[in-house]
Amino acid sequence: MWNITKVVATFSTREDCIAFAEKEGLILDNKLCRKHKTPMIPTLSGNNTVGSFRCRRGSCRSLPAVSRAKGTWFENAKIPLPQIFYLMFAYASHWCQTEVRKNSFIAILSTATICDWYSYCREAVVLYQIDHEEAVGKIGGPGKVVQIDESKFGKRKYNKGRRVEGHWVLGMVEDGSEDLKLTVCPENVRSAEVLIPIIKKHVAEGSIICTDYWRAYNCLSDHGYEHRRVNQSDPENPFVAPDGTHTQRIESQWRVIKRFFLKDNFSNQQNFADLII
């Protein structure tokens, strides 16, 4: 079990952080030179976080070092490693900004730094959820109701790996189930050509699918689904149709996610709008 005492003891220096990152596979502990096919030498120079690899043989001596952070969680990071690991722990502990500053064993962290790294951690959580959904299998089935809707996720500061920057995310949830499917819409497109294959991948045929009136859903009945719709432009009751069809479950799921993100973002509406719209 991690606590602040263990965090201080484990990540007090840059060298301690690098050793932990190597042990946990967060960075490579060795790399071969492409030219000489021999192990390169790790060095703390050439990169402010986890250092670099450098080959000392022949003409390679004059070449730039290869960053150990490239393609990792630490790529493009601008703060010291102890601060990074501390902020990761603070995010996982759901600490607010005041708690982050109060418990810090390092230099005082700015609001911008805390918000940037909390946003970075949130994106990692979303991507992990997306990457590990397939093992659960399809939701729904004959006679079962699945509610579907989209919400837009916003920006983060650092450019690392796959991003949810300005992308629409499709949410699918089965009535009576806690399994929420989240999938990023490729190329930020919400057309039928994009959404229908995603739905077929995650929702079993024969399901009763409830959506709003977005035109991309109009052909769902042609793909083995019973399609029911809710007019969300209805000022009297935007989430329940006259026949009782509703999308309240998926809408409430978005609200829960947004409240969670808002809490971690210190009720800062401007920063929150950058994360999820």
Side-chain angles (χ1 to χ4, degrees):
M1 177 66 70
W2 286 89
N3 54 41
I4 188 60
T5 301
K6 185 175 180 179
V7 170
V8 172
T10 305
F11 306 113
S12 58
T13 68
R14 181 186 183 189
E15 290 75 16
D16 290 339
C17 295
I18 291 175
F20 179 88
E22 289 178 342
K23 179 182 177 182
E24 298 299 324
L26 300 177
I27 59 173
L28 295 176
D29 58 1
N30 63 81
K31 184 178 180 65
L32 293 180
C33 173
R34 290 185 177 181
K35 181 177 181 180
H36 297 101
K37 308 301 180 184
T38 57
M40 302 175 75
I41 300 173
T43 173
L44 293 181
S45 63
N47 182 278
N48 291 328
T49 52
V50 293
S52 307
F53 287 112
R54 183 180 290 278
C55 179
R56 299 294 186 181
R57 299 186 62 182
S59 60
C60 288
R61 295 178 183 178
S62 60
L63 296 178
V66 179
S67 172
R68 299 179 75 185
K70 186 176 181 179
T72 74
W73 174 261
F74 308 101
E75 185 173 6
N76 294 326
K78 305 298 182 183
I79 61 175
L81 280 173
Q83 292 185 19
I84 293 175
F85 280 102
Y86 172 68
L87 286 171
M88 290 164 60
F89 171 76
Y91 172 79
S93 300
H94 305 297
W95 285 356
C96 67
Q97 182 178 177
T98 301
E99 290 175 300
V100 173
R101 288 192 171 128
K102 176 182 177 182
N103 296 317
S104 178
F105 62 95
I106 47 185
I108 296 177
L109 297 165
S110 69
T111 298
T113 297
I114 297 171
C115 290
D116 281 342
W117 278 89
Y118 267 41
S119 294
Y120 195 5
C121 291
R122 290 189 197 99
E123 179 183 316
V125 171
V126 172
L127 293 178
Y128 180 89
Q129 169 72 18
I130 293 171
D131 288 341
H132 289 77
E133 283 177 337
E134 292 186 11
V136 179
K138 293 185 178 182
I139 60 176
K144 295 183 178 180
V145 177
V146 176
Q147 298 180 24
I148 296 178
D149 191 33
E150 323 94 52
S151 187
K152 195 173 187 182
F153 283 67
K155 301 177 181 178
R156 73 166 171 78
K157 182 175 180 180
Y158 299 102
N159 298 318
K160 179 253 174 200
R162 294 186 302 119
R163 300 190 296 276
V164 192
E165 183 175 350
H167 270 64
W168 284 96
V169 177
L170 184 69
M172 298 158 278
V173 64
E174 178 186 329
D175 282 6
S177 170
E178 298 300 322
D179 183 22
L180 173 65
K181 299 280 189 177
L182 298 175
T183 301
V184 176
C185 298
E187 305 299 328
N188 205 21
V189 174
R190 293 184 297 150
S191 66
E193 290 76 17
V194 169
L195 296 186
I196 297 302
I198 293 175
I199 293 171
K200 292 178 70 173
K201 178 180 178 180
H202 294 286
V203 181
E205 290 188 12
S207 301
I208 302 170
I209 295 182
C210 301
T211 72
D212 57 20
Y213 271 73
W214 177 241
R215 59 182 179 274
Y217 299 128
N218 290 345
C219 60
L220 278 172
S221 57
D222 298 331
H223 295 272
Y225 303 108
E226 180 180 337
H227 186 204
R228 300 177 183 176
R229 295 183 292 180
V230 178
N231 183 8
Q232 294 188 350
S233 299
D234 184 353
E236 297 296 328
N237 200 339
F239 300 124
V240 180
D243 64 357
T245 299
H246 66 87
T247 55
Q248 291 175 322
R249 177 76 187 284
I250 186 64
E251 294 292 341
S252 66
Q253 288 288 341
W254 289 132
R255 288 196 293 271
V256 168
I257 294 172
K258 292 178 181 181
R259 281 201 301 269
F260 176 78
F261 287 167
L262 180 60
K263 173 181 179 294
D264 279 351
N265 210 35
F266 325 125
S267 298
N268 187 321
Q269 292 288 348
Q270 181 177 357
N271 286 315
F272 180 68
D274 283 339
L275 173 66
I276 224 175
I277 301 173

